[in-house]
Amino acid sequence: DLHSSVETPDKVKADAPVYAGKEEDIKQSQRITASVHDREVVVFYHEGKFYAMDRYCYHAGGPLHLGEIEDVNGQPCIICPWHKYKITLATGEGLDQAVNPTEPSATPKWRSKGIKQRTHKVTVDNGSVYVTPSDLSISCDSDYYADKYKKTGSSDM
Ligand code: FES
């Protein structure tokens, strides 16, 4: 009865921000991996901003924390090291290049395939970086690998 607005204890736990690391450390290393409620995520620090997303690529589970970041169409993207899929850091959208068949000579345009990789909210508080899982009731392609490779039992150790 202490928290009348919350739904269930499990729900509170799954939504709670999780400490990911020290702000200074992540700014220096530019990326870290963390477990957020049994979910493996990667936190990037890129050009002055923090981003967090599921660590395993939605396509086939590639290790996004080992990818390069490139600007694609003005949006910073992680390039999956396995098959070079491009995923926007800010929204987790998959990008690909579309050729207009009626205009074969035109430069292919980047287009969004929609949100494929689950992103998470990053907050910085007093030198500490926290990741808050996004709404898990809305499914996302990367959930499959997040579930397959989830850390289990780490809190029991
Ligand atoms: Fe990431 Fe295929 S696993 S592009």
Side-chain angles (χ1 to χ4, degrees):
D1 275 321
L2 287 174
H3 307 281
S4 53
S5 64
V6 300
E7 294 168 34
T8 66
D10 280 341
K11 174 85 174 164
V12 173
K13 184 177 179 286
D15 289 357
V18 171
Y19 174 75
K22 281 192 196 153
E23 181 182 5
E24 278 319 306
D25 291 349
I26 303 172
K27 282 183 172 173
Q28 204 167 36
S29 64
Q30 308 269 289
R31 60 184 67 186
I32 55 140
T33 58
S35 294
V36 175
H37 304 299
D38 294 342
R39 195 174 188 97
E40 293 294 290
V41 304
V42 53
V43 179
F44 295 108
Y45 182 73
H46 179 72
E47 293 182 345
K49 283 188 188 157
F50 287 100
Y51 304 89
M53 61 172 55
D54 285 353
R55 174 172 164 185
Y56 299 107
C57 178
Y58 73 90
H59 174 227
L64 295 182
H65 57 292
L66 302 178
E68 301 283 325
I69 294 172
E70 277 176 25
D71 260 42
V72 178
N73 224 9
Q75 303 175 88
C77 289
I78 185 73
I79 315 296
C80 179
W82 280 8
H83 314 99
K84 311 294 176 200
Y85 277 29
K86 294 165 174 61
I87 302 167
T88 62
L89 292 183
T91 57
E93 282 168 86
L95 299 184
D96 67 4
Q97 274 182 315
V99 184
N100 182 345
T102 65
E103 249 186 301
S105 60
T107 315
K109 283 198 172 68
W110 289 103
R111 62 164 191 202
S112 172
K113 298 189 282 181
I115 294 171
K116 298 291 187 179
Q117 194 74 18
R118 186 182 288 286
T119 57
H120 306 281
K121 194 172 133 204
V122 182
T123 45
V124 181
D125 182 26
N126 206 9
S128 296
V129 173
Y130 297 87
V131 175
T132 306
S134 63
D135 184 354
L136 298 175
S137 67
I138 300 162
S139 69
C140 194
D141 286 10
S142 64
D143 290 346
Y144 176 79
Y145 293 101
D147 194 48
K148 186 172 177 179
Y149 299 129
K150 75 178 171 187
K151 279 260 169 71
T152 49
S154 53
S155 56
D156 303 327
M157 285 162 66

